[in-house]
Amino acid sequence: MKKSLLILFSIYSVASNREKCDFERLIKECFTLSPETFGFSKYPQWPDSLKLDRQLRNLRKRKLITGDPKTSFSLTKLGKKIAIETAKTFRQR
């Protein structure tokens, strides 16, 4: 699954638990969801925050999320729709 979809789903998951989705919480959620995607290649037991950087900028540019690493992230209407579709894909597996 694409990193951008995993990130959208992670933001959705954090928000669904009524938590603030700040950068650190997002890193934890992404890494917990897919450690092989978001971990360091040399130290796979640790999350690599740089693997989110470009994706977050692209998601913001595509108007799927709002926010930034200094504050918190949230989904736009379209971003939420895509995250819900992604959640359905996870349930089917």
Side-chain angles (χ1 to χ4, degrees):
M1 186 170 284
K2 290 175 64 174
K3 275 186 203 175
S4 58
L5 293 177
L6 292 169
I7 292 170
L8 285 175
F9 176 76
S10 294
I11 295 170
Y12 176 73
S13 177
V14 171
S16 295
N17 290 325
R18 300 192 192 292
E19 294 179 60
K20 183 179 177 184
C21 189
D22 59 24
F23 190 57
E24 288 83 9
R25 182 65 180 91
L26 180 59
I27 293 167
K28 178 190 180 287
E29 192 71 21
C30 288
F31 182 70
T32 301
L33 179 67
S34 184
E36 62 282 350
T37 303
F38 294 102
F40 280 107
S41 53
K42 194 170 180 181
Y43 301 100
Q45 71 275 23
W46 293 338
D48 182 358
S49 63
L50 285 177
K51 291 190 175 180
L52 281 90
D53 186 53
R54 180 176 293 140
Q55 297 296 327
L56 288 169
R57 280 188 269 129
N58 287 336
L59 289 169
R60 216 175 11 251
K61 188 186 294 184
R62 292 170 47 204
K63 304 212 184 302
L64 298 176
I65 65 169
T66 60
D68 60 66
K70 292 178 183 158
T71 58
S72 63
F73 296 97
S74 58
L75 299 171
T76 62
K77 272 187 184 175
L78 180 57
K80 186 173 183 177
K81 180 181 176 189
I82 294 169
I84 290 170
E85 290 300 316
T86 304
K88 289 177 185 173
T89 304
F90 278 125
R91 284 189 214 115
Q92 291 173 354
R93 287 186 181 174

